[in-house]
Amino acid sequence: MKRTQTLARLATATGLTATLGLLSARPATAVSFQGLGNLGRDPSRGRWASYSSASAVSADGSTVVGHALTVSAEGDYYQAFVWTRSVGIQGLGMWDGFTSSEATDVSGDGSIIVGSCNSYPGWTQEACVWTASREIIGLGSLYQKYGELVSRAYAVSADGNVVVGEAFSEEGPTAFRWDATSGMLGLGDLAGGNWQSAAEDVSADGSVVVGEGTSYSSPWGTVLVAFSWNPVQGMVGLGDLPGGLTQ
């Protein structure tokens, strides 16, 4: 009773009375949990031979992407997948010569998927895009060492035109922005500390990129700070909370 009276007083004081009334009048919605399946399992090996993990969902909720364990006679490997209500889970494959792939994000309408293809043994990892026709496009890297490249896509804009992530450059791990016109562009790093940055997400139209960069190095290691990037201002550090090492 006390909790209800307190909520009512709070609603009256903040002008939320009408809103709470509407919410209380709405019928309860049943909550359901749906497994998306997997790309193959061997029952003789038990549950450990079945694994899938979702990373992102399209704006309308119709398309889910991630990676799953694929079990085959040639060997087991992780593979990027796409799931839709109409088709279910489907493997997206990988570049020839690579041993695994993963999908990390999907465009607003579910047509463009980004992630990476990986090669083991070795250090090769390449950011890639799966087009609407599910063709794989490699995005390259900012720098190649000993013939190997390393890049990883983390996010794609809602319109599917801009991809962001992290790639090796001559300086070190570097945030990147990619589009079909300009290719892969290194976004640099914040001033101070050891070189290390990564782009984690991008705005709907691709104009603003956010992530983390290095602005300070301490005896305990590198201190990463959130950043925002746009074509006019470049990379701008967003600071630290009170009590942080960069304050």
Side-chain angles (χ1 to χ4, degrees), residues 1 61 66 163 165:
M1 185 64 177
V163 181

Side-chain angles (χ1 to χ4, degrees), residues 103-115:
T104 52
D105 202 13
V106 60
S107 62
D109 65 359
S111 62
I112 305 298
I113 300 168
V114 301

Side-chain angles (χ1 to χ4, degrees), residues 37-217:
N38 54 68
L39 294 176
R41 64 185 292 269
D42 182 353
S44 67
R45 283 186 275 172
R47 64 187 180 93
W48 299 112
S50 176
Y51 171 87
S52 60
S53 176
S55 302
V57 62
S58 61
D60 63 2
S62 65
T63 304
V64 180
V65 300
H67 67 281
L69 179 66
T70 300
V71 178
S72 70
E74 293 75 26
D76 303 348
Y77 58 93
Y78 288 102
Q79 180 182 179
F81 76 77
V82 57
W83 176 95
T84 59
R85 291 189 183 279
S86 59
V87 178
I89 191 169
Q90 292 181 300
L92 293 174
M94 65 203 73
W95 282 107
D96 290 340
F98 285 77
T99 55
S100 66
S101 63
E102 59 182 323
T104 52
D105 202 13
V106 60
S107 62
D109 65 359
S111 62
I112 305 298
I113 300 168
V114 301
S116 63
C117 292
N118 315 299
S119 178
Y120 181 83
W123 293 98
T124 298
Q125 183 177 52
E126 184 174 3
C128 56
V129 172
W130 285 269
T131 67
S133 62
R134 300 305 177 235
E135 175 189 3
I136 307 177
I137 299 175
L139 304 187
S141 188
L142 297 171
Y143 179 68
Q144 278 190 263
K145 188 174 184 179
Y146 308 124
E148 296 180 334
L149 56 85
V150 177
S151 61
R152 181 181 170 88
Y154 293 137
V156 61
S157 58
D159 61 13
N161 293 326
V162 176
V163 181
V164 300
E166 177 183 11
F168 274 14
S169 68
E170 292 190 69
E171 292 81 7
T174 302
F176 77 76
R177 179 186 186 276
W178 178 95
D179 63 46
T181 301
S182 303
M184 185 175 288
L185 171 67
L187 303 184
D189 193 14
L190 298 171
N194 299 323
W195 187 284
Q196 182 179 341
S197 65
E200 304 284 356
D201 206 358
V202 59
S203 62
D205 65 355
S207 63
V208 178
V209 180
V210 297
E212 58 188 20
T214 307
S215 66
Y216 179 75
S217 293

